[in-house]
Amino acid sequence: MNDCPVRSCGTLLTFFEGRLRVSPFFPLSLALMYYIEGGTSFITVLFAALLHESGHIAAIYAVGSRVTSAALYPVGAVIYYAESRVSCKGAIFVSLSGIIANMAFAAVGTVVFCIYPTVTHLLFIAANLFFALFNLLPLRNNDGSNALHHLLEMLLPPSDAPKAEKILHMAGLISSLLVFAAAAMLYALSGASPAVAVLGIMAVSTIAWGR
C-alpha cells in the first residue's frame, strides 16, 4: 500500500478515471473459488478478505491520509494512498491494520462459535486467521514486508539503506520457503483437496508477482 504506480500484471482494466484497476483474471479467480467452494464458503472467505481491506482503508484515513487508488489482482488487492503525508509509525499502523482487523474479527467469531457453533462460523474464524497470518509474513509487497520496511526506515539511517534491503530480501526468501513447505504439507494432509490447491496457487502467485 503506497502511492507508487501500479506494476503491470497483464492488462489491467481501469474504472473511475483510473482510481480502480482490475486484472481480467480477478473475476476468473473468484468464479473458480465459487465453483470449488460453493456459495456459503465463498461468501464467508470473501467477507473476511473485505474486512482485511476495510481495516487498511480505515487506518489510512485515521492517520490523516487518503486512498488514491486500488488494484484488484487474482491473489488479492493493493490499496494506494498518499504515503508522503504519513509518518513511519503511521505507515506501520496502516500496513498492519488489515491484520489487526482480521485478528479482531477472528476473536469475535470465536465468541460467537462458542455460543452457537456452526461450520460457517468455524470457517469465518479460519479465514480471518489465514488472512492475518499470511499477510504478516514479510513476502515482497505483503503487509508484513511493508511494515518491516517502514520499521527499518525508522530505525536505520539513510546510509544503511543497502543493509535494510538485504534484511528485507532475506526475510522474504525465508518466508517464501516457509509458504512453499506449508502449501505442500497442507495439500498432502488434505488428501489433494482442490480448494487447498487453489489456495496454494494463490499463495505461490503472490510470491511470484509480489501481489
Side-chain angles (χ1 to χ4, degrees):
M1 284 156 300
N2 47 43
D3 54 359
C4 300
V6 178
R7 290 180 310 282
S8 174
C9 180
T11 301
L12 294 177
L13 307 175
T14 59
F15 303 90
F16 306 111
E17 298 180 346
R19 294 189 190 92
L20 176 63
R21 300 174 176 86
V22 181
S23 167
F25 297 104
F26 175 73
L28 293 177
S29 66
L30 291 182
L32 178 61
M33 289 186 65
Y34 181 85
Y35 175 76
I36 293 175
E37 291 294 324
T40 302
S41 298
F42 171 77
I43 292 173
T44 303
V45 174
L46 183 61
F47 184 50
L50 290 174
L51 290 174
H52 181 90
E53 301 305 334
S54 296
H56 286 307
I57 293 172
I60 288 169
Y61 285 98
V63 298
S65 187
R66 61 183 179 83
V67 175
T68 56
S69 64
L72 301 178
Y73 296 102
V75 292
V78 180
I79 299 173
Y80 297 86
Y81 67 100
E83 192 175 356
S84 57
R85 301 182 179 184
V86 182
S87 66
C88 284
K89 289 183 179 180
I92 292 173
F93 173 62
V94 170
S95 297
L96 297 179
S97 56
I99 297 170
I100 294 171
N102 283 135
M103 293 299 290
F105 279 99
V108 172
T110 301
V111 173
V112 174
F113 180 77
C114 290
I115 300 171
Y116 183 54
T118 68
V119 174
T120 301
H121 291 152
L122 187 60
L123 177 60
F124 178 75
I125 297 167
N128 275 283
L129 289 176
F130 170 80
F131 284 119
L133 296 176
F134 182 78
N135 280 280
L136 190 59
L137 293 173
L139 299 168
R140 183 178 53 172
N141 291 318
N142 224 26
D143 294 336
S145 178
N146 290 333
L148 180 58
H149 166 75
H150 292 297
L151 178 63
L152 292 172
E153 189 177 44
M154 185 172 63
L155 297 177
L156 299 177
S159 58
D160 282 342
K163 181 180 179 181
E165 287 297 324
K166 185 176 180 180
I167 293 173
L168 285 170
H169 176 74
M170 289 302 299
L173 179 60
I174 293 172
S175 297
S176 299
L177 294 175
L178 288 175
V179 169
F180 281 120
M185 182 179 68
L186 287 175
Y187 183 70
L189 292 175
S190 67
S193 166
V196 173
V198 171
L199 287 175
I201 292 171
M202 292 174 67
V204 172
S205 299
T206 299
I207 297 170
W209 291 347
R211 228 352 149 183

Coordinates of all heavy atoms in Angstrom, one line a residue, residues 65-129:
S65 N -4.4 10.5 6.0 CA -4.1 10.4 4.6 C -5.4 10.1 3.8 O -6.5 10.2 4.4 CB -3.1 9.3 4.3 OG -2.7 9.3 3.0
R66 N -5.3 9.7 2.6 CA -6.5 9.4 1.8 C -6.1 8.3 0.8 O -5.0 8.2 0.3 CB -7.1 10.6 1.1 CG -6.1 11.2 0.1 CD -6.7 12.5 -0.5 NE -5.7 13.1 -1.4 CZ -5.5 12.7 -2.7 NH1 -6.3 11.7 -3.2 NH2 -4.6 13.3 -3.5
V67 N -7.1 7.5 0.4 CA -6.9 6.5 -0.6 C -6.8 7.2 -2.0 O -7.7 8.0 -2.3 CB -8.0 5.5 -0.6 CG1 -7.9 4.5 -1.7 CG2 -8.1 4.7 0.7
T68 N -5.8 6.9 -2.8 CA -5.7 7.5 -4.1 C -6.2 6.5 -5.2 O -6.7 7.0 -6.2 CB -4.2 7.8 -4.4 OG1 -3.4 6.7 -4.2 CG2 -3.8 8.9 -3.4
S69 N -6.0 5.2 -5.0 CA -6.4 4.2 -6.0 C -6.3 2.8 -5.4 O -5.8 2.6 -4.3 CB -5.6 4.3 -7.3 OG -4.2 4.0 -7.0
A70 N -6.9 1.9 -6.1 CA -6.8 0.5 -5.7 C -6.7 -0.4 -6.9 O -7.1 0.0 -8.0 CB -8.1 0.1 -4.9
A71 N -6.1 -1.6 -6.7 CA -5.9 -2.5 -7.8 C -6.3 -3.9 -7.3 O -6.0 -4.3 -6.2 CB -4.4 -2.6 -8.3
L72 N -7.1 -4.6 -8.1 CA -7.5 -6.0 -7.8 C -6.8 -7.0 -8.6 O -6.9 -6.9 -9.9 CB -9.0 -6.1 -7.9 CG -9.9 -5.1 -7.1 CD1 -11.4 -5.3 -7.4 CD2 -9.6 -5.3 -5.6
Y73 N -6.1 -7.9 -8.0 CA -5.4 -9.0 -8.7 C -6.0 -10.3 -8.3 O -6.8 -10.4 -7.4 CB -3.9 -9.0 -8.3 CG -3.2 -7.7 -8.7 CD1 -2.9 -6.7 -7.8 CD2 -2.8 -7.5 -10.0 CE1 -2.2 -5.5 -8.2 CE2 -2.1 -6.4 -10.4 CZ -1.8 -5.4 -9.5 OH -1.2 -4.3 -9.9
P74 N -5.6 -11.4 -9.1 CA -6.2 -12.7 -8.7 C -5.8 -13.2 -7.3 O -6.5 -14.0 -6.7 CB -5.5 -13.6 -9.8 CG -5.2 -12.7 -10.9 CD -4.8 -11.4 -10.3
V75 N -4.7 -12.6 -6.8 CA -4.2 -13.1 -5.5 C -4.5 -12.0 -4.4 O -3.9 -12.1 -3.3 CB -2.8 -13.4 -5.5 CG1 -2.6 -14.7 -6.4 CG2 -1.9 -12.3 -6.1
G76 N -5.3 -11.0 -4.6 CA -5.5 -10.0 -3.6 C -5.7 -8.6 -4.1 O -5.7 -8.4 -5.4
A77 N -5.7 -7.7 -3.2 CA -5.9 -6.3 -3.6 C -4.7 -5.4 -3.1 O -4.0 -5.8 -2.1 CB -7.2 -5.7 -3.0
V78 N -4.5 -4.3 -3.8 CA -3.5 -3.4 -3.3 C -4.1 -2.0 -3.2 O -4.8 -1.6 -4.2 CB -2.3 -3.3 -4.3 CG1 -1.3 -2.3 -3.9 CG2 -1.7 -4.7 -4.5
I79 N -4.0 -1.4 -2.1 CA -4.6 -0.1 -1.9 C -3.5 0.9 -1.9 O -2.5 0.8 -1.1 CB -5.4 0.0 -0.5 CG1 -6.5 -1.0 -0.6 CG2 -5.9 1.4 -0.3 CD1 -7.3 -1.2 0.7
Y80 N -3.6 2.0 -2.7 CA -2.6 3.0 -2.8 C -3.1 4.3 -2.1 O -4.3 4.6 -2.2 CB -2.3 3.3 -4.2 CG -1.7 2.1 -5.0 CD1 -2.5 1.2 -5.6 CD2 -0.3 2.0 -5.0 CE1 -1.9 0.1 -6.2 CE2 0.3 0.9 -5.7 CZ -0.6 -0.1 -6.2 OH 0.0 -1.2 -6.9
Y81 N -2.2 4.9 -1.3 CA -2.6 6.1 -0.6 C -1.4 7.1 -0.6 O -0.3 6.8 -1.0 CB -3.0 5.8 0.8 CG -1.8 5.3 1.7 CD1 -1.2 6.1 2.6 CD2 -1.4 3.9 1.7 CE1 -0.2 5.7 3.4 CE2 -0.4 3.5 2.5 CZ 0.2 4.3 3.4 OH 1.2 3.9 4.2
A82 N -1.7 8.3 -0.2 CA -0.7 9.4 -0.2 C 0.2 9.2 1.0 O 0.1 9.7 2.1 CB -1.4 10.8 -0.1
E83 N 1.2 8.4 0.7 CA 2.2 7.9 1.8 C 3.0 9.1 2.3 O 3.5 9.1 3.4 CB 3.0 6.8 1.3 CG 3.8 6.1 2.3 CD 4.6 4.9 1.8 OE1 4.4 4.6 0.6 OE2 5.3 4.3 2.6
S84 N 3.3 10.1 1.5 CA 4.1 11.2 1.8 C 3.5 12.0 3.0 O 4.2 12.7 3.7 CB 4.3 12.1 0.7 OG 3.1 12.6 0.2
R85 N 2.2 11.8 3.3 CA 1.6 12.5 4.4 C 1.7 11.8 5.7 O 1.3 12.3 6.7 CB 0.1 12.7 4.1 CG -0.2 13.5 2.8 CD -1.7 13.7 2.7 NE -2.1 14.4 1.5 CZ -3.4 14.8 1.2 NH1 -4.4 14.4 2.0 NH2 -3.6 15.4 0.1
V86 N 2.2 10.6 5.7 CA 2.2 9.7 6.8 C 3.6 9.5 7.4 O 4.5 9.3 6.6 CB 1.5 8.4 6.4 CG1 1.4 7.4 7.6 CG2 0.1 8.6 5.8
S87 N 3.7 9.5 8.7 CA 5.0 9.2 9.4 C 5.2 7.7 9.2 O 4.4 6.9 8.9 CB 4.9 9.6 10.8 OG 4.0 8.8 11.5
C88 N 6.5 7.3 9.6 CA 6.8 5.9 9.6 C 5.9 5.0 10.5 O 5.5 4.0 10.2 CB 8.3 5.7 9.9 SG 9.5 6.2 8.6
K89 N 5.7 5.6 11.7 CA 4.8 4.9 12.7 C 3.4 4.7 12.1 O 2.8 3.7 12.2 CB 4.8 5.6 14.0 CG 6.0 5.6 14.8 CD 5.9 6.3 16.1 CE 7.2 6.2 16.9 NZ 7.1 6.9 18.2
G90 N 2.9 5.8 11.4 CA 1.6 5.7 10.8 C 1.6 4.7 9.7 O 0.6 4.0 9.5
A91 N 2.6 4.7 8.9 CA 2.7 3.7 7.8 C 2.7 2.3 8.3 O 2.2 1.4 7.7 CB 3.9 4.0 6.9
I92 N 3.4 2.1 9.4 CA 3.4 0.7 10.0 C 2.0 0.3 10.5 O 1.6 -0.8 10.3 CB 4.4 0.7 11.2 CG1 5.9 0.8 10.7 CG2 4.3 -0.6 12.0 CD1 6.9 1.0 11.8
F93 N 1.3 1.3 11.1 CA 0.0 1.0 11.5 C -0.9 0.7 10.4 O -1.7 -0.2 10.4 CB -0.6 2.3 12.3 CG -2.0 2.2 12.6 CD1 -2.5 1.2 13.5 CD2 -2.9 3.1 12.1 CE1 -3.8 1.1 13.8 CE2 -4.3 3.0 12.4 CZ -4.7 2.0 13.3
V94 N -0.8 1.4 9.3 CA -1.6 1.2 8.1 C -1.3 -0.2 7.5 O -2.2 -1.0 7.1 CB -1.4 2.3 7.0 CG1 -2.0 1.8 5.7 CG2 -1.9 3.6 7.4
S95 N 0.0 -0.6 7.5 CA 0.4 -1.9 7.0 C -0.2 -3.0 7.8 O -0.6 -4.1 7.2 CB 1.9 -2.0 6.9 OG 2.5 -1.0 6.1
L96 N -0.3 -2.8 9.1 CA -0.7 -3.9 10.0 C -2.2 -3.9 10.3 O -2.7 -4.8 10.9 CB 0.1 -3.9 11.3 CG 1.6 -4.1 11.2 CD1 2.2 -4.0 12.6 CD2 1.9 -5.4 10.6
S97 N -2.9 -2.8 9.8 CA -4.3 -2.6 10.2 C -5.2 -3.7 9.7 O -6.2 -4.1 10.3 CB -4.8 -1.3 9.7 OG -4.6 -1.1 8.3
G98 N -4.9 -4.2 8.5 CA -5.7 -5.3 7.9 C -5.6 -6.6 8.8 O -6.5 -7.3 9.0
I99 N -4.3 -6.8 9.2 CA -4.1 -8.0 10.1 C -4.8 -7.8 11.4 O -5.4 -8.8 11.9 CB -2.6 -8.1 10.3 CG1 -1.9 -8.4 9.0 CG2 -2.2 -9.2 11.3 CD1 -0.3 -8.3 9.0
I100 N -4.7 -6.6 12.0 CA -5.4 -6.3 13.2 C -6.9 -6.6 13.1 O -7.6 -7.2 14.0 CB -5.1 -4.9 13.7 CG1 -3.6 -4.8 14.0 CG2 -6.0 -4.6 14.9 CD1 -3.2 -3.3 14.3
A101 N -7.5 -6.1 12.0 CA -8.9 -6.3 11.7 C -9.3 -7.8 11.7 O -10.3 -8.2 12.3 CB -9.3 -5.6 10.4
N102 N -8.5 -8.5 10.9 CA -8.8 -10.0 10.8 C -8.7 -10.7 12.2 O -9.5 -11.5 12.5 CB -7.8 -10.6 9.9 CG -8.2 -10.4 8.4 OD1 -7.3 -10.1 7.6 ND2 -9.5 -10.5 8.1
M103 N -7.6 -10.3 13.0 CA -7.5 -10.9 14.3 C -8.7 -10.6 15.2 O -9.2 -11.4 16.0 CB -6.2 -10.5 14.9 CG -4.9 -11.0 14.2 SD -4.8 -12.8 14.2 CE -4.5 -13.2 15.9
A104 N -9.1 -9.3 15.1 CA -10.2 -8.9 16.0 C -11.5 -9.6 15.6 O -12.2 -10.1 16.5 CB -10.4 -7.4 15.8
F105 N -11.8 -9.8 14.3 CA -13.0 -10.5 13.9 C -12.9 -12.0 14.1 O -13.9 -12.6 14.3 CB -13.3 -10.1 12.4 CG -14.0 -8.8 12.3 CD1 -13.3 -7.7 11.9 CD2 -15.4 -8.7 12.5 CE1 -13.9 -6.5 11.8 CE2 -16.0 -7.5 12.4 CZ -15.3 -6.4 12.0
A106 N -11.7 -12.5 14.1 CA -11.5 -13.9 14.4 C -11.8 -14.1 15.9 O -12.4 -15.2 16.3 CB -10.0 -14.3 14.2
A107 N -11.5 -13.2 16.8 CA -11.8 -13.2 18.2 C -13.3 -13.2 18.4 O -13.9 -13.9 19.2 CB -11.1 -12.1 19.0
V108 N -14.0 -12.2 17.6 CA -15.4 -12.1 17.7 C -16.1 -13.4 17.2 O -17.0 -13.9 17.8 CB -15.9 -10.9 16.9 CG1 -17.4 -10.9 16.8 CG2 -15.4 -9.6 17.5
G109 N -15.6 -13.9 16.1 CA -16.1 -15.2 15.6 C -16.0 -16.3 16.6 O -16.8 -17.2 16.6
T110 N -14.9 -16.4 17.3 CA -14.7 -17.4 18.3 C -15.7 -17.3 19.4 O -16.2 -18.4 19.9 CB -13.2 -17.3 18.9 OG1 -12.3 -17.4 17.9 CG2 -13.0 -18.4 20.0
V111 N -16.0 -16.1 19.9 CA -17.0 -15.9 20.9 C -18.4 -16.4 20.4 O -19.1 -17.2 21.1 CB -17.1 -14.5 21.3 CG1 -18.3 -14.2 22.2 CG2 -15.9 -14.0 22.0
V112 N -18.7 -16.0 19.1 CA -20.0 -16.5 18.5 C -20.0 -18.0 18.4 O -21.1 -18.6 18.6 CB -20.2 -15.8 17.2 CG1 -21.4 -16.3 16.5 CG2 -20.3 -14.3 17.3
F113 N -18.9 -18.6 18.0 CA -18.8 -20.0 17.8 C -19.0 -20.8 19.1 O -19.7 -21.8 19.1 CB -17.5 -20.4 17.2 CG -17.3 -21.9 16.9 CD1 -17.9 -22.5 15.8 CD2 -16.5 -22.6 17.8 CE1 -17.7 -23.8 15.6 CE2 -16.4 -24.0 17.6 CZ -17.0 -24.6 16.5
C114 N -18.5 -20.2 20.2 CA -18.7 -20.8 21.5 C -20.2 -20.8 21.9 O -20.7 -21.8 22.6 CB -17.9 -20.1 22.5 SG -16.1 -20.4 22.4
I115 N -20.9 -19.8 21.5 CA -22.3 -19.7 21.8 C -23.2 -20.5 20.8 O -24.1 -21.2 21.2 CB -22.8 -18.2 21.8 CG1 -22.0 -17.4 22.9 CG2 -24.3 -18.1 22.1 CD1 -22.2 -15.9 22.8
Y116 N -22.8 -20.4 19.6 CA -23.6 -21.0 18.5 C -22.7 -21.7 17.5 O -22.4 -21.1 16.5 CB -24.5 -19.9 17.9 CG -25.5 -20.5 16.8 CD1 -26.3 -21.5 17.1 CD2 -25.5 -19.9 15.5 CE1 -27.2 -22.0 16.1 CE2 -26.3 -20.4 14.5 CZ -27.2 -21.5 14.9 OH -28.0 -22.0 13.9
P117 N -22.2 -22.8 17.8 CA -21.2 -23.5 16.9 C -21.8 -24.0 15.6 O -22.7 -24.8 15.6 CB -20.7 -24.6 17.8 CG -21.8 -25.0 18.7 CD -22.5 -23.6 19.0
T118 N -21.2 -23.5 14.5 CA -21.6 -23.9 13.2 C -20.4 -24.0 12.3 O -19.3 -23.4 12.6 CB -22.6 -23.0 12.5 OG1 -21.9 -21.7 12.2 CG2 -23.8 -22.7 13.3
V119 N -20.4 -24.8 11.2 CA -19.3 -24.9 10.3 C -19.0 -23.5 9.7 O -17.8 -23.2 9.5 CB -19.6 -25.9 9.2 CG1 -18.5 -26.0 8.2 CG2 -19.8 -27.3 9.8
T120 N -20.0 -22.7 9.4 CA -19.8 -21.4 8.8 C -19.0 -20.5 9.7 O -18.1 -19.8 9.3 CB -21.1 -20.8 8.4 OG1 -21.8 -21.6 7.5 CG2 -20.9 -19.4 7.8
H121 N -19.3 -20.5 11.0 CA -18.6 -19.7 12.0 C -17.2 -20.2 12.1 O -16.3 -19.3 12.2 CB -19.3 -19.8 13.3 CG -20.6 -19.1 13.4 ND1 -21.6 -19.5 14.2 CD2 -21.1 -18.1 12.7 CE1 -22.7 -18.7 14.1 NE2 -22.4 -17.8 13.1
L122 N -17.0 -21.5 12.1 CA -15.6 -22.0 12.2 C -14.8 -21.6 10.9 O -13.6 -21.2 11.0 CB -15.6 -23.5 12.3 CG -14.3 -24.2 12.5 CD1 -13.7 -23.8 13.8 CD2 -14.5 -25.7 12.5
L123 N -15.4 -21.6 9.8 CA -14.7 -21.2 8.5 C -14.4 -19.7 8.6 O -13.4 -19.3 8.1 CB -15.6 -21.5 7.3 CG -15.1 -21.0 5.9 CD1 -13.8 -21.7 5.6 CD2 -16.1 -21.4 4.8
F124 N -15.3 -18.9 9.1 CA -15.1 -17.5 9.3 C -13.9 -17.2 10.1 O -13.0 -16.4 9.8 CB -16.3 -16.8 9.9 CG -16.2 -15.3 10.1 CD1 -16.2 -14.4 9.0 CD2 -16.0 -14.8 11.4 CE1 -16.1 -13.1 9.2 CE2 -15.8 -13.5 11.6 CZ -15.9 -12.6 10.5
I125 N -13.7 -17.9 11.2 CA -12.6 -17.8 12.1 C -11.3 -18.2 11.4 O -10.3 -17.5 11.4 CB -12.7 -18.7 13.4 CG1 -13.9 -18.2 14.2 CG2 -11.5 -18.7 14.2 CD1 -14.3 -19.2 15.3
A126 N -11.4 -19.3 10.7 CA -10.2 -19.9 9.9 C -9.8 -18.9 8.8 O -8.6 -18.7 8.6 CB -10.5 -21.2 9.4
A127 N -10.7 -18.3 8.1 CA -10.4 -17.4 7.0 C -9.7 -16.2 7.5 O -8.8 -15.7 6.9 CB -11.7 -17.1 6.2
N128 N -10.3 -15.6 8.6 CA -9.7 -14.4 9.2 C -8.2 -14.7 9.7 O -7.3 -13.9 9.5 CB -10.5 -13.9 10.3 CG -11.6 -13.0 9.8 OD1 -11.4 -11.8 9.5 ND2 -12.8 -13.5 9.8
L129 N -8.1 -15.9 10.3 CA -6.7 -16.2 10.8 C -5.8 -16.4 9.6 O -4.6 -16.0 9.7 CB -6.8 -17.5 11.7 CG -7.4 -17.3 13.1 CD1 -7.5 -18.6 13.8 CD2 -6.7 -16.3 13.9

